[in-house]
Amino acid sequence: MSGIFQDLRFTYRMLIKKPGFTAVVVLAMGLGIGANTSIFTIVRGILLAPLPFPQSERIVAIRSAMPGDDRPGDLSLPDFMDIRARARSFESIGAWSESQAYLTLGTEPERFSSTVMTPSLLSALGVQPALGRGFLPEEGIDGNQLTSVILSHRIWKDRLQSDPNVIGRTFRMNGRVRTVVGVMPEDFHFPETSDFWIPLGIKAVEDGRGGRWLEVVARLAPGVTPQQANAEAAALAGILAKEYPGTNKGLRIVVDPMREAMVGDVRASMIMLMSAVGFVLLIACANVANLMLARASSRHRELSVRVALGASRGRIVRQLLTECVMVALLGGVLGVFIAYWGNDLILSSIPTELPYWMKFEIDGPILAFTALITLASGLLFGIAPALHVARGNLFESLKEGGAQSGTGRGQHRMRNGLVVAEIALAMVLLAGAGLMIRSFLRMQDIGGTFDPDGVLAGHVTLPVARYPENLQKTQFFAELLPRVRALPGVIAASAGGHLPLGSDNSSTNVTTESHVADDASQWPVVNHSVILPEYFATLDVPFRSGRDFGPGDGPQTPRVAIVNESAAGVLWPDEQPLGKRFKFGAEDTAGWCTVVGVVSDVRQHIETKRIAQVYVPHTQAAVQTLYVLARTHGDPALLAAPIRALLKARDRDLPFYEVSTLRAAISLAVWEPRLYAWLMGAYSMIALTIAAVGIYGVMAYRVEQRTQEIGIRMALGAPQSAVLRMVVGQGMRLTILGLGIGLAVAFAMTRLMASMLFGVDPSDPPTFIGVSVILALSAMLASWLPAWRASRVDPMTALRHE
């Protein structure tokens, strides 16, 4: 034990003796450890921490997918009812769909988040109201008597002042009087930030099997695994496909742990970020190992004296490892502070409220992870100098002129190998970051197909209780939009079901009149949206051919549609689409839609690569909720108040909500890929800096070791340019070798990122060429600095150097 304390005391003296060296290695390790700690905190909060439900490992999500779908999605109401009646793998099964609630709790009408759910949802989640009761089974049967409502704890506390007599209180919500029957617990936030829960009367809802809008969760029966439930669901999907071939042929029903369904594509992004910060830590370790190796070489005479005085090689190795571990511990402490700062920075860059189940806290398990990687890092970068000392001939350093005995070929190879490893790792990381950044730029690039500037967008939802008929919905917007267009400064105004590059999307299978296929599962999948006239003029989307919707396109006239160029190419390749006819899904009995116009492509959804889009008029496919859009010459935000006043004059209970400029809405839609690209870029810059410092350190050390040789060359007449070429050439040879290895590894590894890229090939030549040039130039600069210093050495001073 006393020997360990001696090692610690000696380590302390050595570290404070070289404060600049200590600061560099501690900073390098702190950056690597801090980045890993920060990202692991996020990964743990998303992928590893338990969900806030009793026995959450037994809760699964049940989803469906048709051939051609990008990912599993919702279930139809009939399919849900069949699964509930026939499946034996579940103890309880519940369904829900997010909705909106419109009511007045103060002086103005407000929009709240609400959830329509089956009474069995709470039992599937294992949760019961804190006050009152849940919904009764009969409240999920008779749709005409669905007047109950359950409140969130936040609404009860903040808006109703924790009224102890809230049970039995009534509200007029969405045009219907509802009675409060329960209040949920304070920590219950499902789904996300729902304020109200109302019962879904499944027997009273008339819905086709092709309309998939229900999200479904279930609690596994005791002893049943997700794999067994998945097998039963697959078998049941096959049965339904035979019973209902028109809608269910090819339909897959999948059962996944609830966390898997909630995480979705985020898992791949988290793995990518963990790999990136892992590379940063490896580069930092290689860099510090190089620096420690150089320091061990300069201490050969000191270490030889200690051996001569009786210290064993094992004792010397232990001392060096102690120093490395101490440096790593200091880096770990710094890394914790960097992680705190990094987490705050990352969270502050997220413009939306985090899901209720995500908790990003640096607690005991996170600190244990940090301690583990700190210790591992210290041992990792301490191996190289320890092996060098253990294998070297320390006694040579005691001989005259033996001060340089630590600079043999073996050490040079080791140091060169570490630099090559740094360059290769940096190349892989830079390539991945470059692909992510280019993908993000492609994702938000609208390509000039529409102009988002000067446009205001906001939601308007018509309550079903007051606007149950399609004619009422169409009349409402037909009367509202002319008044919006008459506002001062308004150039054009319209409404649509989705925003370009928004977070919502609708897709369906379609078939054309000229290419009817018996198997509906093989029909092409396109996005579709409901719009009103002047939608494309408001967004400044050019028509390629045909016309816009007009007053003649009504509910009693033949169905019409507008398609974008991609949809025209998918449905009628090498044909003129105007006048062609198609229909939606196998259950579409309303007749064929005739194409009357073709417009430029406008991508509707940020997460899907499918851009084939069809548009139908609101008069022929009325919906409750639309985005109202208005273009102006001035500041579009100034239109919010006048439009809100128009709505209030038309219906005092209707709010104009989620109002923003279209440019801001697009920026919000791409925040997640923007954050990933920003993080990858930041980590890449850290890795590039550390790698450049590593090259500089190797070349500076090599110049120092060859000072006499350089002096002799210059004394014999060698020009400064020759010295520059010699030193820079050595650095660039290492760089080229590292780039070659890194390119080979990057070409292989970036294939794993293919699913996360949009419009960019994993082997994108501009990206690989660009990052190679950046890395080569950085390495050249790092090599040039010591070369420049060497070329200005006084030959006489160099000849006296030892």
Side-chain angles (χ1 to χ4, degrees):
M1 184 64 70
S2 61
I4 294 177
F5 284 119
Q6 285 181 345
D7 289 343
L8 292 174
R9 285 195 299 269
F10 189 78
T11 297
Y12 172 74
R13 290 198 299 268
M14 294 302 297
L15 293 180
I16 63 174
K17 183 179 179 181
K18 299 280 187 179
F21 173 87
T22 302
V24 169
V25 296
V26 169
L27 179 60
M29 293 308 303
L31 289 171
I33 294 172
N36 277 268
T37 300
S38 177
I39 293 301
F40 183 71
T41 303
I42 296 174
V43 169
R44 175 174 174 260
I46 296 176
L47 302 181
L48 303 177
L51 295 176
F53 302 113
Q55 297 181 310
S56 61
E57 69 281 358
R58 292 177 55 197
I59 304 177
V60 295
I62 306 175
R63 298 175 293 171
S64 68
M66 292 295 292
D69 283 352
D70 293 341
R71 65 193 70 187
D74 300 338
L75 288 172
S76 68
L77 179 58
D79 285 343
F80 162 73
M81 296 174 65
D82 281 326
I83 294 172
R84 188 180 66 170
R86 304 185 190 189
R88 297 294 177 264
S89 298
F90 310 116
E91 184 177 271
S92 57
I93 178 172
W96 85 94
S97 181
E98 295 186 52
S99 183
Q100 293 85 34
Y102 303 92
L103 66 158
T104 302
L105 292 179
T107 58
E108 295 289 335
E110 297 178 76
R111 177 258 185 188
F112 297 90
S113 174
S114 67
T115 300
V116 180
M117 71 178 195
T118 62
S120 56
L121 177 64
L122 294 184
S123 61
L125 296 173
V127 178
Q128 291 300 320
L131 295 177
R133 62 170 176 84
F135 296 132
L136 303 174
E138 55 267 27
E139 289 177 304
I141 296 177
D142 189 350
N144 295 322
Q145 303 298 322
L146 299 180
T147 59
S148 302
V149 63
I150 298 176
L151 312 181
S152 70
H153 190 276
R154 184 184 68 83
I155 291 293
W156 175 66
K157 180 181 178 181
D158 296 343
R159 304 302 297 271
L160 302 179
Q161 292 74 49
S162 303
D163 180 8
N165 300 314
V166 70
I167 305 301
R169 186 169 172 173
T170 60
F171 296 98
R172 186 170 183 82
M173 180 187 300
N174 295 348
R176 174 180 291 174
V177 176
R178 292 190 175 275
T179 303
V180 177
V181 298
V183 177
M184 294 305 297
E186 185 174 4
D187 59 352
F188 182 79
H189 306 284
F190 184 88
E192 304 302 338
T193 57
S194 186
D195 297 308
F196 300 93
W197 292 267
I198 59 179
L200 168 66
I202 59 175
K203 288 190 177 180
V205 177
E206 295 181 2
D207 199 5
R209 195 171 290 270
R212 300 180 175 91
W213 55 277
L214 274 181
E215 299 187 62
V216 179
V217 297
R219 181 170 289 270
L220 294 174
V224 176
T225 66
Q227 293 75 17
Q228 292 171 327
N230 219 342
E232 183 184 31
L236 186 55
I239 295 173
L240 294 177
K242 293 179 180 179
E243 294 178 356
Y244 309 98
T247 58
N248 284 53
K249 187 172 182 179
L251 180 74
R252 294 180 294 115
I253 299 177
V254 295
V255 177
D256 293 314
M258 187 176 179
R259 178 182 293 279
E260 295 293 329
M262 297 168 77
V263 168
D265 292 341
V266 174
R267 176 180 293 277
S269 301
M270 292 295 100
I271 294 174
M272 178 191 66
L273 289 177
M274 279 300 295
S275 301
V277 295
F279 279 7
V280 171
L281 183 57
L282 287 175
I283 294 170
C285 287
N287 189 286
V288 173
N290 240 331
L291 294 174
M292 297 297 286
L293 191 58
R295 190 179 183 207
S297 298
S298 66
R299 293 170 59 189
H300 254 68
R301 187 179 295 275
E302 167 219 327
L303 298 175
S304 300
V305 171
R306 295 182 65 186
V307 171
L309 294 176
S312 65
R313 287 182 182 268
R315 181 72 174 78
I316 298 298
V317 169
R318 191 181 74 185
Q319 174 64 50
L320 292 176
L321 287 176
T322 300
E323 293 177 15
C324 293
V325 172
M326 180 61 68
V327 167
L329 288 175
L330 292 175
V333 173
L334 176 62
V336 171
F337 287 102
I338 291 176
Y340 272 110
W341 173 79
N343 276 5
D344 291 341
L345 185 62
I346 292 172
L347 294 178
S348 66
S349 65
I350 298 177
T352 186
E353 187 173 352
L354 289 172
Y356 62 93
W357 48 274
M358 289 187 185
K359 305 295 182 183
F360 303 142
E361 300 173 349
I362 298 181
D363 51 12
I366 296 296
L367 293 177
F369 168 80
T370 303
L372 179 62
I373 63 172
T374 297
L375 180 60
S377 300
L379 295 175
L380 179 62
F381 70 72
I383 288 175
L387 288 177
H388 166 64
V389 170
R391 295 174 179 176
N393 188 352
L394 294 175
F395 291 105
E396 287 294 323
S397 298
L398 297 178
K399 300 177 182 179
E400 185 177 359
Q404 305 302 324
S405 64
T407 60
R409 292 183 179 178
Q411 189 200 21
H412 284 319
R413 285 195 296 269
M414 186 178 294
R415 290 172 60 79
N416 292 344
L418 289 171
V419 170
V420 169
E422 288 185 62
I423 296 295
L425 290 170
M427 179 66 214
V428 176
L429 186 51
L430 282 170
L435 291 173
M436 287 297 297
I437 292 171
R438 279 179 57 81
S439 176
F440 166 69
L441 295 176
R442 287 284 183 90
M443 189 175 290
Q444 67 172 1
D445 180 21
I446 59 177
T449 57
F450 74 98
D451 181 11
D453 295 320
V455 179
L456 183 79
H459 263 112
V460 175
T461 297
L462 305 179
V464 176
R466 293 208 304 274
Y467 300 88
E469 303 297 332
N470 287 341
L471 183 60
Q472 294 175 294
K473 304 169 196 173
T474 57
Q475 285 181 341
F476 179 91
F477 287 103
E479 294 174 5
L480 173 67
L481 289 178
R483 297 176 184 177
V484 175
R485 295 178 186 124
L487 291 174
V490 172
I491 303 171
S494 185
H498 305 96
L499 288 182
L501 293 176
S503 58
D504 51 0
N505 184 53
S506 296
S507 62
T508 185
N509 297 82
V510 299
T511 188
T512 63
E513 188 177 28
S514 55
H515 299 90
V516 178
D518 294 333
D519 188 355
S521 66
Q522 301 302 315
W523 293 0
V525 179
V526 300
N527 299 325
H528 69 92
S529 183
V530 176
I531 63 171
L532 276 81
E534 296 190 32
Y535 176 84
F536 301 109
T538 305
L539 294 180
D540 200 16
V541 178
F543 268 83
R544 298 306 183 190
S545 60
R547 64 171 178 87
D548 196 356
F549 298 135
D553 302 316
Q556 305 303 321
T557 62
R559 299 171 74 191
V560 293
I562 295 172
V563 301
N564 69 356
E565 292 176 291
S566 291
V570 169
L571 300 178
W572 301 281
D574 303 321
E575 295 183 54
Q576 170 57 251
L578 290 181
K580 300 292 185 181
R581 302 203 302 175
F582 69 92
K583 66 177 180 179
F584 298 99
E587 293 185 336
D588 187 358
T589 59
W592 295 94
C593 291
T594 302
V595 177
V596 297
V598 180
V599 295
S600 296
D601 289 344
V602 177
R603 193 152 49 89
Q604 293 295 124
H605 195 260
I606 196 66
E607 295 181 356
T608 182
K609 300 178 182 179
R610 185 194 309 115
I611 59 175
Q613 182 84 23
V614 299
Y615 304 89
V616 294
H618 187 251
T619 50
Q620 296 181 346
V623 294
Q624 304 293 139
T625 300
L626 289 174
Y627 284 96
V628 171
L629 306 169
R631 178 178 290 278
T632 177
H633 288 296
D635 182 1
L638 299 178
L639 292 175
I643 294 176
R644 195 170 276 116
L646 290 177
L647 277 172
K648 191 172 183 179
R650 180 70 174 77
D651 188 331
R652 64 183 180 86
D653 292 330
L654 287 184
F656 190 42
Y657 63 97
E658 293 182 359
V659 181
S660 71
T661 65
L662 185 56
R663 174 66 73 181
I666 292 174
S667 178
L668 180 63
V670 299
W671 75 263
E672 191 172 343
R674 180 175 59 239
L675 177 62
Y676 294 147
W678 178 82
L679 287 174
M680 288 290 289
Y683 296 142
S684 297
M685 289 303 101
I686 294 174
L688 180 62
T689 302
I690 295 175
V693 170
I695 296 174
Y696 172 82
V698 166
M699 300 317 298
Y701 177 74
R702 183 165 292 182
V703 166
E704 181 183 357
Q705 298 298 317
R706 301 179 64 181
T707 301
Q708 284 186 336
E709 175 196 338
I710 293 172
I712 293 172
R713 287 174 180 268
M714 296 181 67
L716 294 176
Q720 291 182 342
S721 59
V723 176
L724 281 171
R725 285 195 302 270
M726 178 185 69
V727 178
V728 173
Q730 291 170 349
M732 293 311 296
R733 281 194 291 273
L734 297 177
T735 301
I736 292 172
L737 179 58
L739 284 176
I741 297 173
L743 280 170
V745 176
F747 270 117
M749 294 194 65
T750 52
R751 297 292 189 277
L752 304 177
M753 299 174 56
S755 62
M756 293 181 285
L757 300 178
F758 182 88
V760 178
D761 189 82
S763 56
D764 182 52
T767 299
F768 280 86
I769 293 172
V771 298
S772 298
V773 171
I774 291 173
L775 195 50
L777 290 176
S778 302
M780 183 179 294
L781 177 61
S783 300
W784 180 84
L785 289 174
W788 179 80
R789 289 170 53 195
S791 67
R792 279 156 177 74
V793 171
D794 181 1
M796 297 307 296
T797 302
L799 290 173
R800 291 194 298 267
H801 178 79
E802 182 176 349

